[in-house]
Amino acid sequence: MTLSEVTNISGEVGNFNVTVKEAPRYVDMDKCIACGACTEKCPKKVDSEYDAATGKRKAIYVKYSQAVPLKYQIDGSQCLRLTAMAKGKEKLPCGFCEQVCDAGAINYNDTEKTHEINVGAIVMAPGFEAYDPTNAKVWGFGVYPNVVTSLQFERYLSATGPTEGHLVRPSDGKKVKKVAFLQCIGSRDENTCGNGYCSSVCCMYAIKEAVIAKAHEPGLETSIFYMDMRTHGKEFDQYMERAKNDSGVNFIRCRVNSVEPQGANGDLRLSYVNNAGVQIEEYFDLVVLSVGLETPKHVLELAEMAGIEVTADRFAKTKDFTPVTTTRDGIFTAGAFAGPKDIPQAVVEGSAAAAAVADVLAPARNELTKEAVFPEERNIAGEEPKIGVFVCHCGSNIAGMVDVEAVEAYAKTLPGVAHVERNLFTCSQDAQEGLAVRIKELGLNRVAIAACTPRTHEPLFRETLKSAGLNQYLVEMANIRNHNSWVHDSKEIATKKACDLVRMAVAKVTFSASLAPISVPITQTALVIGGGVAGMTSALNLAEQGFVVTLVEKSAKLGGNALKLDHTWSGEEVAPQVAKLIDQVNWNEKITVFTETEVSAAEGFVGNFKTTLKGKDGVETVIEHGAGVVAVGADAYQPTEYGYGEIAGVVNGIDFDSADKAGKKNFVFIQCVGSREEGHMYCSKVCCTHSVQSAIALKKEDPSRNVYILYRDMRTYAQREKLYREARSLGVMFINYEIHGKPQVTKNGDVIDVQVIDHVLHRPVIIKADMVVLASGIRPKSDFKTLSQMYKISLDGDGFFQEAHAKLRPVDFATDGMFVAGMAHYPKPLEESVAQALAASARAATLLSKLEVTLDAIKAQVDSSKCDGCALCVDVCPYHAISLLEVKATAEGAAPTKVIDVNKAKCKGCGLCQATCPKEGVAVAGFTLQQLSSQVSAALAI
Amino acid sequence: MISDLLEDYGLDRGRFSLHWVSSAEPDKFVAAVTETTQRVKALGPIKDMGVTTAMEWLCSCSGCEIAILNIGEALVPIITEALDIVHSPVLMDHKYFGQTGEGVELTIPEAVVGIVTGGVNNTEHEEVLHEMRKKCQVLIALGSCATGGGIPALMNGMNGVETLQQTQETPSTDAGATIPTIEVPTLLGRVYACSEIVKVDMELPGCPPNPALIAEVIVSLLENRAPNLPTKSVCDTCPTRREGKGAVTEVKRFISNAEFDPAQPISDMRCLLEQGYMCMGPVTASGCAVGRGAPSCIAARVPCRGCFGPVQGKGNQMLDMMNALASNGIDYSSVVDRRSLLRFSGAHGNLRPAKTK
Amino acid sequence: MSFEPKIIAFCCNWCSYAAADLAGTARMQYPHNVRIVRVMCSGMVHPELVMDAFQQGADGVMVLG
């Protein structure tokens, strides 16, 4: 449901009644084919929201070209006709869109509708709004045209943006030579906007924009003005180092307080203190404001209406052990509404919310699903090709540029073609029914559709074939719209090309064969490796959803790293929560726990893994499971620097929690010990917050204590910023150091001397400390490698487990059926581990809830009459789907032969094997060498 | 790799291009298409792309005939009872233009089976081959020269004029030597496989062909059944141990010995390609192993040289091998003189004058 | 008449084929000489296909991943 908003929620968990108000679209979604003719004709131009007002859109529009659903809508507040109708005028203007719409999709009389929906649980993921700096004057946004927000800049960099990717100044179109990025606009700023929190994502996106801008315009100078660079995400620090060293982006640690115009030609002047402490004035062509994230007002109203609490920073309130659960039972949350965050974490929370919902709704699973029934499939093996060609006009989209009658006449002359017809819209309901009738009536055994792109419409035609009792893979599409009528302006050429494309499609479909669906049975159980908070959370959620789970823990006790933690960042006590979790796991009858046990061997594939567990006593147990979650945690770095282990009083952060601090007055924390340096170029993410928390506790216990934190960038990201503020207000001293000027720690009698270059004084200072606390980082465990080899799941450059896609598949492995959660993936605080664990169980549950997975039949097939087991393709396969089999000799005395075997569950149909094989021994069904080659021949036939 | 190989085929490398275009980059797509179209337009139409059908005749070293003799004792009943040999220049004196030279047209007696060895290099070969086709009901191309051009087809890698100049007029030849023009059949400019000139009913490659298979072909014809010939590659018949090609980064020439224990059988030796040697097994038709238990070169612990030509007769040994190496992450440029991989299959247009850089 | 080359473009279903679709949606004009063959991955294109295309008279070949 689009253009819809929730206006009321009543009831309770398991039985909510939700009132949804659906605004009129004025375009019939079933009829609109997104041809865009209406937009072309529409006379009314307005600022485009998508282009952040850098460009224009029409009153009838789609928000952006990849929008889903790709259906147009009319902006009722801007449309000439609709505004006139609203005023009750008799003579109505315009109406162009209705005139040009061949599909008849425009409906000016569309009205607002109200829907009542009964649901068991609710997920609130309304997202964020970018901070609007217009009213804050100081940066000149809205006053000087060359001050833009980062979102606008993003549009300027885009090929589909207002300047087609060319970097020019909005004021005079002059080529941009110097860009300044100002960080923390609308973040970490209580004075201007009341947003005290850190928006978490701006540092990283500013670097990205700077790097991309430099790639667009060679010689471009880019400077980023910041307070702390918070690139705490996976592989972000490496990106920043590359931006500094390879791309040459300047980083200047200074918060610039205002932007001034320089002369009348649009140049902008910034005053700042550079890294050496010198006051500088510099001119820029363009200033980009890295705007933060905030919860929009209407979302706050929604939250109030839904009866859920928000934090002081105006984000949904959650608990650290239940990071996607709001304060109202049955309502969950995900994404930036639950605190500012980047895409991977938002995706993780999306899955986590699904897991939390599944937990609540487990008893009702599958109650409302319906299965479609199709007629029995006709066997066409051995039949001569009888191809039906259907040429679509697509209104005037195709017919306007292509002589469709000529294409029809031409198609009739092609070999194997038994029937040709034209449709105004081949995808329309009645044309589909007609197509099914033709197939049955004429006994067609293959179909070629000359219309638009198979990427959007092939599934539809496959369904039609199925409903006509024909195998769904016997259809081929000729894309005579997107690839032809829309991109050429000569009717003669477009018609000729359309004929060529039809000939190619016919040639390919001639060699198409019925393909049987591939299904793989699923063992509906899971294995969770690692008994820390992530592992236990994941196991428990899966068990609550009804799946049998085996939980393996290497040590003698469940709990993992959390056993060493006192509090989460928000102050929740860890120990009682972990104890509760252990208890729940132990008492859950669906979970079998193996302690002092390790994985010793593994084999199999999605839905069908077989893992051998080996206990301390050497006893082996084989577990069959359909999915696996790797939640093996990570290790704390044991420092070798700063006198650790040599000087009494030098301790690491975890030891410090339980150390005796009585009578001690002076404390120094050193950050980034073993993190963000050569060989370990990543942020351990938790140490800044932990040190600040410890510092606050020290000060609260005895305000006369002197507490120093020596840091490189304080990374108290998102709502943790309030801890940083609190620490400063309590008088904790923060001293910045650089990697090339690390502090020096020496023993000096009873005290410890810590020497550091003060970033304000620019000279070394010596702090006499009673205790030095090393915020040591997090390291991958030594046994990650063995595990990665056993399950064929890869590790990243830092040695942590590598997810399938950094942004969009953050808990999946490239190996189907295996998932990752917690610190095994990357250092992270407890609530992020919990969210990822829930996400992993949600992803596993989508797999385990089925008895079998049905796979697309587009998979590699071995031709055993041609394959001779030369094994050239085995290592080529990126999915490890190919193995070499020995075939026993048929004749007596003959030697055994070898042949490859493709595991269909692992194969993704990429065809690398096909391209490697020298003898056509393996081919991807539906894209065989014969089919592709026939298309090539057909393309070149005339 | 493809661009390099294109030059091997006398094509401009600019005719092929690879682009990375993500789904959100229609501008890049349009730019790539526009740019490629302009580039290809500038290069103009491809000239002389097709295999020109010029012709030539049996260019052979008689090794295949020796292979026939190597059938051994089994040959005796074949030639004494089963076959009546009516025409065989290598065995008996039989004149093309009548025994006294009275004829005006080249004539070969009619026969049921015809066996042709050697490729087609000059107008005489061509004429004889046409006559063979005319007179024989079943025509068999025997040996890699007849099926794929063989060693003589290496000259296809140069143009005809160069070849002649190199063999006849270089400083190493006697002073004053000239290219003979009288009483010598004219060269066709390149060596053709028999099937490029006439329809061939059966092909049996090998340099030399395997005697056991020659016997099988003859016997199957006599028994009026399809011959039982191998259809797969040398690897199919190769007993060596295969563990994956992943570790190999480049291939080396066979100037050092492979690793193996002489006391152990071949099946104990690791695949030679996996040992990093340029073994052509994967792209070469099998046949040499029949009756021997292992491919003949492999049995001698030496990598396959590719003498049976491409698998199924229609592949391209160089292209397939390069592709197989490249796909496995093996540096294809580590192959010294890759065009020599067509040493047994240069006909069918596989080997052509290279585009000089 | 000017020379109009025939160019075969192998396009990956997930990337460049989608980009070509989008080029259509955006009505971006480009030369008509290209004929697109859809593949599931540009890695699927066997060199034989490329050579084959030239053999059959193509003037240029593109692989777009």
Side-chain angles (χ1 to χ4, degrees):
Chain A
M1 294 173 79
T2 49
L3 295 170
S4 303
E5 53 186 310
V6 173
T7 53
N8 192 41
I9 296 174
S10 64
E12 55 180 13
V13 57
N15 187 22
F16 284 113
N17 279 312
V18 181
T19 312
V20 177
K21 189 177 83 187
E22 185 185 7
R25 179 183 280 270
Y26 305 109
V27 174
D28 186 335
M29 298 234 283
D30 293 334
K31 290 182 181 161
C32 174
I33 50 139
C35 68
C38 50
T39 290
E40 213 164 291
K41 271 280 176 226
C42 178
K44 176 80 181 181
K45 275 188 185 175
V46 282
D47 278 348
S48 156
E49 296 88 348
Y50 177 63
D51 280 340
T54 58
K56 298 279 182 195
R57 65 159 170 87
K58 298 290 185 66
I60 183 162
Y61 68 111
V62 276
K63 200 165 178 189
Y64 49 92
S65 51
Q66 294 99 327
V68 176
L70 193 55
K71 303 287 175 188
Y72 281 72
Q73 68 184 78
I74 299 178
D75 181 346
S77 67
Q78 299 291 342
C79 169
L80 300 175
R81 193 181 187 95
L82 288 173
T83 46
M85 280 166 72
K87 284 179 193 146
K89 289 193 180 160
E90 264 191 22
K91 196 157 179 261
L92 296 174
C94 196
F96 286 143
C97 51
E98 189 177 25
Q99 288 161 24
V100 297
C101 183
D102 291 317
I106 309 290
N107 172 16
Y108 296 120
N109 298 314
D110 200 1
T111 50
E112 181 181 295
K113 296 177 194 71
T114 305
H115 307 272
E116 292 288 335
I117 302 164
N118 182 256
V119 296
I122 296 169
V123 177
M124 287 179 61
F128 66 90
E129 217 165 58
Y131 169 68
D132 178 1
T134 311
N135 295 328
K137 304 293 182 214
V138 286
W139 301 291
F141 181 77
V143 183
Y144 314 127
N146 295 337
V147 177
V148 299
T149 68
S150 45
L151 282 171
Q152 291 177 321
F153 190 66
E154 187 95 22
R155 294 308 301 149
Y156 283 121
L157 288 179
S158 169
T160 54
T163 57
E164 289 167 355
H166 298 291
L167 259 194
V168 293
R169 300 207 303 197
S171 69
D172 52 7
K174 196 184 127 196
K175 203 170 150 186
V176 174
K177 297 227 171 70
K178 278 177 85 173
V179 185
F181 289 83
L182 306 189
Q183 297 305 104
C184 294
I185 305 295
S187 307
R188 301 179 68 185
D189 182 355
E190 294 196 296
N191 299 333
T192 329
C193 58
N195 292 348
Y197 56 88
C198 156
S199 291
S200 284
V201 299
C202 332
C203 284
M204 196 56 199
Y205 78 56
I207 303 175
K208 180 203 77 174
E209 288 184 0
V211 168
I212 292 176
K214 283 181 83 85
H216 270 244
E217 300 290 345
L220 181 78
E221 281 183 47
T222 53
S223 301
I224 298 180
F225 293 90
Y226 69 98
M227 296 200 284
D228 296 282
M229 282 314 290
R230 292 187 172 169
T231 48
H232 44 268
K234 187 166 177 162
E235 287 172 21
F236 288 6
D237 269 317
Q238 284 176 28
Y239 191 88
M240 178 163 73
E241 289 302 310
R242 283 201 300 274
K244 250 185 232 173
N245 304 327
D246 302 347
S247 306
V249 176
N250 298 322
F251 289 85
I252 300 153
R253 190 189 295 273
C254 179
R255 183 161 200 163
V256 178
N257 56 19
S258 63
V259 177
E260 303 289 340
Q262 173 69 25
N265 64 355
D267 288 356
L268 298 163
R269 184 175 71 229
L270 300 185
S271 298
Y272 64 92
V273 178
N274 75 0
N275 297 346
V278 182
Q279 179 81 31
I280 305 265
E281 252 188 18
E282 199 177 343
Y283 309 112
F284 291 89
D285 292 317
L286 194 69
V287 168
V288 179
L289 304 179
S290 295
V291 289
L293 278 46
E294 59 185 19
T295 306
K297 195 161 156 277
H298 69 90
V299 171
L300 291 171
E301 288 163 8
L302 178 71
E304 197 184 339
M305 183 273 296
I308 63 169
E309 289 174 38
V310 295
T311 64
D313 290 327
R314 299 179 301 282
F315 294 100
K317 199 175 212 171
T318 57
K319 291 209 166 94
D320 293 329
F321 277 81
T322 50
V324 293
T325 307
T326 69
T327 51
R328 181 167 172 188
D329 211 12
I331 301 188
F332 302 93
T333 182
F337 179 46
K341 57 179 63 74
D342 60 2
I343 297 170
Q345 192 59 24
V347 173
V348 162
E349 287 185 358
S351 293
V357 168
D359 185 350
V360 174
L361 302 182
R365 188 187 288 283
N366 288 340
E367 270 183 13
L368 295 175
T369 48
K370 290 181 202 139
E371 259 185 53
V373 184
F374 291 101
E376 202 179 326
E377 201 174 288
R378 189 155 68 88
N379 182 7
I380 61 142
E383 284 181 24
E384 284 292 308
K386 245 181 140 181
I387 305 168
V389 179
F390 296 81
V391 182
C392 178
H393 290 209
C394 198
S396 63
N397 279 290
I398 293 170
M401 187 53 71
V402 172
D403 180 351
V404 280
E405 284 166 32
V407 176
E408 180 188 26
Y410 175 74
K412 283 184 177 154
T413 67
L414 292 169
V417 172
H419 173 74
V420 186
E421 75 176 55
R422 286 181 283 119
N423 311 104
L424 186 57
F425 291 104
T426 309
C427 60
S428 65
Q429 188 66 34
D430 53 326
Q432 294 284 299
E433 282 161 15
L435 195 132
V437 169
R438 288 283 180 276
I439 291 172
K440 286 189 248 179
E441 204 173 74
L442 302 170
L444 301 176
N445 53 24
R446 282 167 184 82
V447 175
I449 312 276
C452 52
T453 171
R455 287 178 48 81
T456 55
H457 280 70
E458 198 173 58
L460 178 73
F461 292 114
R462 284 188 176 176
E463 289 295 300
T464 311
L465 259 67
K466 264 160 93 176
S467 72
L470 206 51
N471 184 278
Q472 57 170 320
Y473 293 99
L474 295 169
V475 63
E476 189 63 32
M477 291 184 72
N479 194 340
I480 61 170
R481 188 185 74 178
N482 299 46
H483 294 183
N484 187 26
S485 66
W486 276 356
V487 291
H488 303 311
D489 50 13
S490 148
K491 192 156 184 168
E492 187 196 343
I493 284 171
T495 304
K496 189 174 165 292
K497 184 168 170 182
C499 291
D500 285 359
L501 295 176
V502 169
R503 188 171 66 238
M504 287 165 71
V506 167
K508 185 179 177 196
V509 82
T510 302
F511 293 104
S512 292
S514 296
L515 301 176
I518 297 162
S519 63
V520 180
I522 299 284
T523 308
Q524 292 180 302
T525 60
L527 173 73
V528 177
I529 309 169
V533 167
M536 287 192 292
T537 304
S538 189
L540 198 59
N541 181 271
L542 282 167
E544 297 287 349
Q545 291 195 51
F547 302 107
V548 171
V549 183
T550 306
L551 179 63
V552 193
E553 168 58 38
K554 192 158 72 170
S555 73
K557 198 178 168 200
L558 292 175
N561 283 313
L563 294 173
K564 301 176 204 151
L565 301 180
D566 284 348
H567 294 92
T568 65
W569 77 267
S570 63
E572 289 177 30
E573 274 191 73
V574 174
Q577 297 272 18
V578 172
K580 187 175 148 202
L581 206 51
I582 294 174
D583 213 38
Q584 282 175 315
V585 166
N586 282 333
W587 283 100
N588 194 307
E589 55 183 19
K590 297 227 176 217
I591 304 178
T592 313
V593 179
F594 287 81
T595 47
E596 298 187 291
T597 301
E598 288 189 62
V599 172
S600 65
E603 58 179 280
F605 51 91
V606 56
N608 300 275
F609 292 102
K610 215 180 250 183
T611 297
T612 310
L613 306 178
K614 196 172 179 182
K616 195 179 64 168
D617 47 8
V619 176
E620 290 194 342
T621 318
V622 176
I623 307 283
E624 290 190 9
H625 56 107
V629 176
V630 176
V632 289
D635 278 340
Y637 170 58
Q638 292 304 314
T640 54
E641 56 267 62
Y642 301 124
Y644 183 78
E646 290 160 16
I647 305 173
V650 177
V651 297
N652 71 26
I654 295 279
D655 298 341
F656 182 73
D657 288 347
S658 51
D660 180 19
K661 295 138 202 159
K664 300 205 165 72
K665 277 282 175 201
N666 301 306
F667 298 86
V668 175
F669 290 82
I670 301 178
Q671 298 305 112
C672 289
V673 178
S675 302
R676 298 182 62 196
E677 56 188 22
E678 208 50 49
H680 305 280
M681 193 52 79
Y682 59 87
C683 169
S684 293
K685 218 174 173 180
V686 298
C687 343
C688 280
T689 307
H690 190 223
S691 293
V692 169
Q693 264 183 311
S694 302
I696 290 172
L698 287 172
K699 274 292 204 184
K700 278 192 174 162
E701 221 172 78
D702 178 0
S704 71
R705 279 170 172 164
N706 296 312
V707 182
Y708 301 87
I709 295 186
L710 314 187
Y711 70 99
R712 289 172 59 197
D713 291 288
M714 278 316 290
R715 293 186 169 174
T716 45
Y717 60 95
Q719 299 181 79
R720 290 163 183 75
E721 183 70 9
K722 77 170 184 203
L723 296 175
Y724 187 24
R725 271 202 316 277
E726 186 183 353
R728 279 177 301 171
S729 68
L730 288 170
V732 176
M733 301 287 290
F734 288 85
I735 301 175
N736 172 236
Y737 77 89
E738 298 295 329
I739 180 91
H740 47 77
K742 283 189 181 179
Q744 282 161 17
V745 179
T746 43
K747 191 167 166 51
N748 184 4
D750 286 347
V751 297
I752 307 165
D753 278 354
V754 181
Q755 183 184 309
V756 63
I757 313 271
D758 185 278
H759 66 293
V760 179
L761 304 173
H762 288 284
R763 48 193 298 181
V765 292
I766 291 175
I767 306 164
K768 298 207 176 296
D770 299 317
M771 281 190 96
V772 174
V773 188
L774 304 183
S776 53
I778 291 166
R779 292 284 164 87
K781 290 188 179 181
S782 55
D783 57 357
F784 281 7
K785 196 149 193 205
T786 359
L787 212 52
S788 92
Q789 282 163 349
M790 279 192 282
Y791 288 104
K792 300 203 165 71
I793 48 185
S794 44
L795 300 179
D796 64 21
D798 294 321
F800 292 99
F801 283 96
Q802 177 82 59
E803 66 275 32
H805 188 286
K807 300 266 180 274
L808 303 176
R809 293 177 66 197
V811 296
D812 298 17
F813 279 114
T815 302
D816 284 349
M818 293 298 294
F819 306 92
V820 66
M823 295 213 291
H825 162 256
Y826 186 71
K828 56 174 68 73
L830 198 133
E831 70 280 9
E832 288 176 22
S833 283
V834 172
Q836 206 182 12
L838 288 174
S841 32
R843 300 286 299 138
T846 46
L847 174 69
L848 298 179
S849 58
K850 300 176 199 133
L851 279 168
E852 55 180 29
V853 273
T854 309
L855 308 168
D856 194 12
I858 308 293
K859 304 279 181 199
Q861 288 181 326
V862 184
D863 181 345
S864 55
S865 72
K866 292 178 177 170
C867 171
D868 49 37
C870 73
L872 278 170
C873 53
V874 174
D875 287 329
V876 169
C877 177
Y879 306 103
H880 308 288
I882 301 180
S883 52
L884 198 57
L885 294 183
E886 185 131 318
V887 183
K888 283 219 175 76
T890 39
E892 211 166 304
T897 56
K898 296 188 178 84
V899 70
I900 59 158
D901 178 55
V902 176
N903 183 321
K904 297 272 199 277
K906 290 183 181 174
C907 173
K908 308 258 189 214
C910 75
L912 286 186
C913 50
Q914 175 173 345
T916 300
C917 183
K919 42 235 157 184
E920 297 175 37
V922 59
V924 175
F927 288 87
T928 61
L929 211 53
Q930 186 186 32
Q931 286 179 302
L932 296 181
S933 153
S934 70
Q935 261 188 302
V936 171
S937 309
L940 298 166
I942 293 179
Chain B
M1 179 195 91
I2 296 272
S3 299
D4 274 357
L5 261 57
L6 277 187
E7 295 193 335
D8 291 349
Y9 280 77
L11 292 171
D12 299 280
R13 58 190 308 131
R15 290 188 185 273
F16 177 79
S17 56
L18 195 59
H19 309 263
W20 299 115
V21 176
S22 94
S23 59
E25 299 174 322
D27 52 318
K28 257 174 106 174
F29 173 82
V30 170
V33 168
T34 312
E35 191 259 332
T36 306
T37 309
Q38 282 165 358
R39 197 176 57 236
V40 174
K41 265 190 183 177
L43 288 168
I46 296 173
K47 295 180 190 82
D48 190 23
M49 260 307 292
V51 179
T52 50
T53 13
M55 298 167 195
E56 156 154 358
W57 133 249
L58 313 183
C59 181
S60 156
C61 73
S62 82
C64 296
E65 284 74 13
I66 294 171
I68 296 176
L69 291 177
N70 279 343
I71 292 175
E73 273 187 41
L75 184 64
V76 178
I78 290 176
I79 53 169
T80 55
E81 294 164 33
L83 297 184
D84 178 11
I85 298 175
V86 294
H87 171 83
S88 174
V90 75
L91 290 178
M92 52 200 200
D93 183 15
H94 181 270
K95 303 285 191 285
Y96 288 130
F97 295 91
Q99 289 305 98
T100 57
E102 73 282 9
V104 288
E105 272 178 42
L106 185 149
T107 320
I108 291 171
E110 284 193 1
V112 174
V113 177
I115 297 175
V116 181
T117 67
V120 181
N121 197 1
N122 62 29
T123 50
E124 184 189 0
H125 301 151
E126 195 184 359
E127 195 178 350
V128 171
L129 182 58
H130 277 295
E131 177 67 5
M132 282 288 283
R133 177 70 273 182
K134 210 163 106 191
K135 297 294 172 66
C136 305
Q137 288 176 30
V138 178
L139 190 63
I140 302 170
L142 178 65
S144 293
C145 293
T147 60
I151 296 283
L154 274 175
M155 70 174 274
N156 293 359
M158 290 183 278
N159 72 41
V161 178
E162 268 178 37
T163 314
L164 274 182
Q165 282 170 346
Q166 198 164 332
T167 53
Q168 305 284 335
E169 291 184 339
T170 52
S172 64
T173 55
D174 292 339
T178 51
I179 297 172
T181 51
I182 325 164
E183 306 280 325
V184 176
T186 319
L187 292 180
L188 296 176
R190 62 160 87 159
V191 178
Y192 293 85
C194 294
S195 64
E196 290 181 274
I197 310 295
V198 298
K199 179 176 172 286
V200 170
D201 302 301
M202 206 180 285
E203 293 195 320
L204 188 58
C207 187
N210 187 332
L213 295 179
I214 303 176
E216 164 63 14
V217 164
I218 296 172
V219 170
S220 72
L221 278 171
L222 294 172
E223 292 175 357
N224 196 21
R225 62 170 169 86
N228 183 10
L229 297 176
T231 56
K232 295 185 177 179
S233 83
V234 169
C235 296
D236 186 46
T237 57
C238 180
T240 56
R241 226 164 12 94
R242 268 157 255 170
E243 291 162 17
K245 301 347 185 209
V248 184
T249 54
E250 42 184 54
V251 289
K252 49 194 174 192
R253 301 176 74 180
F254 193 70
I255 45 179
S256 57
N257 266 338
E259 268 181 44
F260 64 90
D261 179 352
Q264 296 302 318
I266 304 290
S267 59
D268 190 59
M269 180 169 76
R270 177 120 191 234
C271 164
L272 291 175
L273 191 56
E274 287 174 17
Q275 290 195 33
Y277 292 108
M278 184 55 246
C279 179
M280 289 181 65
V283 299
T284 302
S286 64
C288 58
V290 174
R292 297 188 178 116
S296 42
C297 290
I298 305 295
R301 318 263 185 187
V302 166
C304 168
R305 304 269 300 154
C307 81
F308 269 63
V311 184
Q312 304 187 353
K314 62 179 176 179
N316 177 319
Q317 288 177 291
M318 170 178 72
L319 186 61
D320 292 340
M321 195 71 217
M322 290 298 111
N323 178 49
L325 293 180
S327 297
N328 273 278
I330 303 172
D331 181 9
Y332 73 91
S333 63
S334 63
V335 176
V336 178
D337 187 12
R338 61 172 172 266
R339 277 153 48 89
S340 75
L341 300 190
L342 291 166
R343 57 178 81 93
F344 292 101
S345 53
H348 292 295
N350 283 342
L351 188 59
R352 297 182 209 167
K355 185 99 182 171
T356 41
K357 281 175 195 158
Chain C
M1 207 182 99
S2 71
F3 165 54
E4 288 298 346
K6 286 188 248 180
I7 299 173
I8 299 289
F10 293 98
C11 285
C12 165
N13 182 53
W14 313 105
C15 325
S16 48
Y17 193 91
D21 281 350
L22 218 51
T25 315
R27 311 291 199 276
M28 298 163 109
Q29 300 285 315
Y30 57 85
H32 60 89
N33 307 64
V34 166
R35 296 290 176 273
I36 291 175
V37 176
R38 184 167 72 113
V39 291
M40 293 311 275
C41 168
S42 52
M44 181 186 260
V45 181
H46 199 291
E48 298 269 14
L49 274 173
V50 178
M51 291 304 176
D52 202 36
F54 280 118
Q55 194 83 285
Q56 296 192 42
D59 297 294
V61 175
M62 306 171 74
V63 175
L64 298 105

